[in-house]
């Protein structure tokens, strides 16, 4: 039987034989007259043109007649070329035609008088479409292939299920379609990445100020600013480059190898060389190398949790579907990147690379633009503010000088100099170093951060959308509850496929502990013997359900149960029977009493009970009554309500005479510590939403276990979202805490809806279906160990050990970083304003400048140097996690910050001018006058830096010695100041003279006022109780939730 192509119109081909001469007649209906072509009789080859321009359901030839079956034209891609590309069968050859994947307008001919050649001459309307991409018809989507038989797919892709493609044909196809890999955006060269660092608005402002300094012939300022800029961009570049190097170890976009049939031979080669039409073998433990239409599946189960979120592997079968589903698993398709958990199979590659389901998500992800981080926006605003203030300074001084009758150019020179000095060139250094140190600290805690600003973004997140499978849970089925037929209940601790954990008896029904343990032993023994899974080095080879039973047995100390028996026969699980059984004999009795066979069976409760005639009552088989059966079903129902998957286990001499032994409840449990993390996040004002592909019952059960509020928040499914318009979704989504049965498109809708509400969204995930949402979120967080490559590519941060607790630490780090930057800004601005006003007042009041040029340079070094930089590395206050997320609309320079800056600056200016006035009582400026004024200003700076270490807490609370770098910086600055005062060579340079001990003591007492006033202000702010009330309300909310 030879497949036929079926299109829009009705086609009838009548074939006849006349003395070896073959004639072919083609008739088309008038409904497709616009696509008719002219057919002429010529020498016909047994090779046929391709089906270029369409993909359609194939039918079959029989007895020389062509019959149209009940198929539709849903898959027709290019209807105008349909008839112009329709190949006719050879009446001589009995083999199935295998059209080449080439242009249908290039039909070959042979020098034979016995053959007929078909030449198709398209109409003009068809010719206009001849420039279409031939590669569009060389692959099939999963939806298309799932509705076709294996033979139809074979014909569509012009392959051979037994022989595969030839090496030459595969090479030709790869030349057209490209390799089986994703086209990642080309990396920019290093020099270009370095130049990108200069696009920061604050850096551009500093470059402008350096240029102005050169024009004003202030070369020293220009050099110092340029050096600062180079330090900033170099540190940022090196840190981001290091993060990229770490990521390269995690990035493997396609499986490395595959087993494929080429030219009739089984070969193993890199998966990137696969093309549509290749025949691939799949075995347990393999990663599926491309989208594959299965034509053979032997007990084949594939873990598709990265796509669907379902922990339980999907069972596969080769039969075609009646109707393709839009989302979720397709039983006859194996998708790229999924994992073969059980069995083996064969299939034909239908799509590769970006044409695959995996690739569709990857392209969606690349189409999404990653938004700017809140810190970047804050720095942009700060740069604008500083530029505005600088121009105000220039304008004010220019106007005042002009009003006093001074030369305009002189006043302009002074104004520009002060404006340049006002711009804190140390700020970009502090921001970069602070972020870099945060990235390094996060790396030590197993979190890789791709870009520096990402760390601070976590401090602004006010809602986290978390994937369930693999993120909140480990994606490892685990037995959590055992219930024997006697009614005894035991809890199983530990998570995953390992022996870490124990079995604790909760309810013994007043029986002897030894008897209860014996019953549990019998229950777990059945689970081990009726099992095909193996756990090696905590890695499961087989079904997750069976792996959970093996792990539970090992926690109970039961090892080697399977080896005690010889398996005679296996009754595999099927969706109809919902049971699996094995027929065994004991090894010791195999030769003595071979007739003593035992059936070990596990399966669905309601199905297994029908095969049971008795139940076990402490080693005694009692008759299974209706009342006992109802009791067992009631227990199973209660376990199911807890979100557990329930299995019944039994054994007996025959399949129809089984003894019920007990129930096992299992689930994909939450990761250890996740509940505590979520409680901490909720208490700090961060909303948690769970997104999963699971069913509603499972989703709500896990959400409740991890502490997500399912009482006050509602649940919403993906299909329900599809029925709502955008406006309704915008209103509903913020109120929903659990989303179930969601697809990648739904996750993207959720993230966008939350962002449109002005929320900063963090998204965590590990599967392919999370990639697009991760890219769109303000910060995407991927799992590094079990996460897919699409996730790692899309995410901003990767948790190497998949530990959800790291997110809490990262949020703490992000909040701390911003407050450290703000502390530096406060110190920098208060010092800058003080220096500016000292010089400006002296200039405008026609009095001598209290500081000379070298002294101003020294103050600038302190202002932008180690004491200021050390504020950026202040250890993160652990109480910062209790604070609400930062309001991203709030600028870096707030009203409260300006108040603190002006308060500190007024004290510094007043104290310094008082000392200068007092020392200059004779109206003559001496080295002592400037030395006292200079030292006074420096000491004010040191005490001001001490008070800026925290905006709320007292220095006596955070400790004098917690920031060692600050201690070193301040000590070095004071030692340097003493050298400037007492070391003769430096005295000559700075024009200073030695001061007495009384002078130093008096200055210390005076300058400490800035610190004392700041501490008093913070004390009264703490007493006001505003933060306390907020945190108390949040704690109350948390208590209500728990």
């Amino acid at each position: 039987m030879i497949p036929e192509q079926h299109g829009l119109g009705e086609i009838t081909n009548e074939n006849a034989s006349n003395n070896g001469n073959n004639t072919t007649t083609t008739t088309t209906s008038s409904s497709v007259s616009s696509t008719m072509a002219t057919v002429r009789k010529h020498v016909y080859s047994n090779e046929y043109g391709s089906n270029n321009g369409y993909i359609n359901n194939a039918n079959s030839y029989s007895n020389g007649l062509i019959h149209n079956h009940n198929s539709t034209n849903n898959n027709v891609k290019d209807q105008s070329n349909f008839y112009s590309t329709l190949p006719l069968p050879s009446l001589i050859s009995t083999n199935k035609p295998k059209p080449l994947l080439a242009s249908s307008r290039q039909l070959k001919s042979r020098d034979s008088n016995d053959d007929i050649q078909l030449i198709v001459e398209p109409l003009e309307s068809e010719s206009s479409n001849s420039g279409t991409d031939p590669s569009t018809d060389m692959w099939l989507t999963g939806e298309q292939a799932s509705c076709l038989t294996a033979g139809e797919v074979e014909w569509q892709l012009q392959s051979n299920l037994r022989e595969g493609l030839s090496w030459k044909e595969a090479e030709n196809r790869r030349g057209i379609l490209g390799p089986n890999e994703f086209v990642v955006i080309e990396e920019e060269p290093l020099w270009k990445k370095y130049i990108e660092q200069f696009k920061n608005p604050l850096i551009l402002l500093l470059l402008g100020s350096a240029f102005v300094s050169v024009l004003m012939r202030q070369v020293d300022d220009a050099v110092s600013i340029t050096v600062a800029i180079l330090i900033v961009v170099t540190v940022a570049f090196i840190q981001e480059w290091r993060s990229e190097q770490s990521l390269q170890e995690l990035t493997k976009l396609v499986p490395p190898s595959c087993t494929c049939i080429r030219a009739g031979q089984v070969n193993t080669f890199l998966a990137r060389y696969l093309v549509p039409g290749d025949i691939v073998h799949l075995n347990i433990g393999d990663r599926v190398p491309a989208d594959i239409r299965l034509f053979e599946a032997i007990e084949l189960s594939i873990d598709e949790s990265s796509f669907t979120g379902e922990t339980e592997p999907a069972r596969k079968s080769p039969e075609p579907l009646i109707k393709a589903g839009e989302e979720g698993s397709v039983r006859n398709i194996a998708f790229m990147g999924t994992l073969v958990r059980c069995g083996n199979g064969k299939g034909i590659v239908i799509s590769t690379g970006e044409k695959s389901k995996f690739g569709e998500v990857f392209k969606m992800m690349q189409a999404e633009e990653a938004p700017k981080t809140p810190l970047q926006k804050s720095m942009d605003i700060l740069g604008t503010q500083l530029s505005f203030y600088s121009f105000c300074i220039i304008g004010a001084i220019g106007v005042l000088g002009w009003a006093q009758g001074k030369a305009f150019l002189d006043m302009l020179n002074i104004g520009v100099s002060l404006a340049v000095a006002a711009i804190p060139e140390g700020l970009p250094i502090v921001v970069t170093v602070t972020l870099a140190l945060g990235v390094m600290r996060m790396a030590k805690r197993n979190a890789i951060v791709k870009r520096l600003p990402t760390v601070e973004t976590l401090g602004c997140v006010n809602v986290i959308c978390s994937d369930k499978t693999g993120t909140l849970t480990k994606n490892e089925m685990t037995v959590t509850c055992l219930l024997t037929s006697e009614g005894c209940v035991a809890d199983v601790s530990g998570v995953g496929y390992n022996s870490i954990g124990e079995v604790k008896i909760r309810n013994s029904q007043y029986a002897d502990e030894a008897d209860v343990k014996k019953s549990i032993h019998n229950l777990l023994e059945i689970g081990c013997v009726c099992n095909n899974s193996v756990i090696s080095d905590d890695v499961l080879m087989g079904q997750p359900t069976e792996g959970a039973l093996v792990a539970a047995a090992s926690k109970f100390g039961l090892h080697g149960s399977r080896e005690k028996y010889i398996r005679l026969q296996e009754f595999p699980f099927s969706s109809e029977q919902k049971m699996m059984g094995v027929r065994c004999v004991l090894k010791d009795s195999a030769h003595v009493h071979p007739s003593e066979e035992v059936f070990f069976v596990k399966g669905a409760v309601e199905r297994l009970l029908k095969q049971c005639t008795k139940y076990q009552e402490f080693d005694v088989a009692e008759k299974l009554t209706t009342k006992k059966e109802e009791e067992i079903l009631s227990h199973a129902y209660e376990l199911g309500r807890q979100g557990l998957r329930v299995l019944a286990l039994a054994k007996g001499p025959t399949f129809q005479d089984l003894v019920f032994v007990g129930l096992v409840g299992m689930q994909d449990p939450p990761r250890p510590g996740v509940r505590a993390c979520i409680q901490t996040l909720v208490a700090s004002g961060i909303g948690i939403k769970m997104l999963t592909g699971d069913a509603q019952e499972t989703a709500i059960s896990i959400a409740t276990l991890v502490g997500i509020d399912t009482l006050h928040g509602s649940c919403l499914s993906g299909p329900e979202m599809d029925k709502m318009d955008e406006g309704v979704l915008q209103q509903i989504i913020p109120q929903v805490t659990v989303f179930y049965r969601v697809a990648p498109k739904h996750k993207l809708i959720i993230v966008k809806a939350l962002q449109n509400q002005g929320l900063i969204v963090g998204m965590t995930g590990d599967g392919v279906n999370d990639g697009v949402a991760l890219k769109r979120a303000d910060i995407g967080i991927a799992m590094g160990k079990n996460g897919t490559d699409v996730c790692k590519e899309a995410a901003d941060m990767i948790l190497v050990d998949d530990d959800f607790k790291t997110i809490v630490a990262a949020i703490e780090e992000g909040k701390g970083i911003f407050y450290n930057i703000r502390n530096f800004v406060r110190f920098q601005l208060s010092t800058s304003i003080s220096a500016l006003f000292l010089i400006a007042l002296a200039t405008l009041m026609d009095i001598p400048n209290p500081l000379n040029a070298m002294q101003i340079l020294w103050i600038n070094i302190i202002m932008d140097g180690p004491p200021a930089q050390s504020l950026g590395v202040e250890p993160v206050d652990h109480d910062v996690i209790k604070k609400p997320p930062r309001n991203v609309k709030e600028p870096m320079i707030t009203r409260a910050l300006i108040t603190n800056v002006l308060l500190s600056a007024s004290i510094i200016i007043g104290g310094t001018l008082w000392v200068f006035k007092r020392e200059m009582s004779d109206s003559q400026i001496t080295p002592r006058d400037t030395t006292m004024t200079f030292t006074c200003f420096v000491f004010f700076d040191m005490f001001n830096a001490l008070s800026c270490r925290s905006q709320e807490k007292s220095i006596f609370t955070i400790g004098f010695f917690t920031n060692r770098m600050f201690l070193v910086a301040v000590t070095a600055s004071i030692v340097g100041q003493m050298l400037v005062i007492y070391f003769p060579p430096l005295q000559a340079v700075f024009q200073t003279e030695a001061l007495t001990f009384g002078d130093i003591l008096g200055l210390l007492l005076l300058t400490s006022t800035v610190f004392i006033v700041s501490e008093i202000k913070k004390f009264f702010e703490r007493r006001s109780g505003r933060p306390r009330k907020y945190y108390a309300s949040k704690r109350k909310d948390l208590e209500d939730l728990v």
Side-chain angles (χ1 to χ4, degrees), residues 978-988 992:
M978 295 301 103
L979 290 174
V980 167
I981 296 172
Y982 297 107
F983 190 49
L986 291 179
Q987 285 179 336
T992 59

Side-chain angles (χ1 to χ4, degrees), residues 452-513:
L452 295 184
T454 298
V455 183
E456 192 277 334
T457 305
L458 278 162
C460 310
V461 169
N462 39 32
V463 61
I464 292 179
C465 298
S466 179
D467 176 53
K468 178 190 78 72
T469 308
T471 304
L472 295 176
T473 66
K474 289 190 71 176
N475 195 16
E476 296 178 350
M477 290 296 287
T478 304
V479 173
T480 59
C481 183
L482 302 173
L483 195 150
T484 67
S485 54
E486 299 88 358
C488 303
V489 181
D491 296 319
V492 185
S493 62
V495 178
Y497 306 121
N498 54 61
S499 59
I500 300 173
E502 58 182 341
V503 179
K504 292 184 179 180
I505 299 172
R506 190 205 314 166
N507 183 355
S508 63
Q509 294 292 323
Y510 306 105
D512 185 67
E513 185 177 348

Side-chain angles (χ1 to χ4, degrees), residues 899-900 903 1012-1022:
T899 301
N900 287 330
L903 178 63
I1012 294 170
V1013 170
S1014 177
E1015 288 293 306
I1016 293 172
K1017 181 176 180 292
K1018 284 190 277 188
F1019 173 76
F1020 282 108
E1021 285 177 347
R1022 290 194 299 272

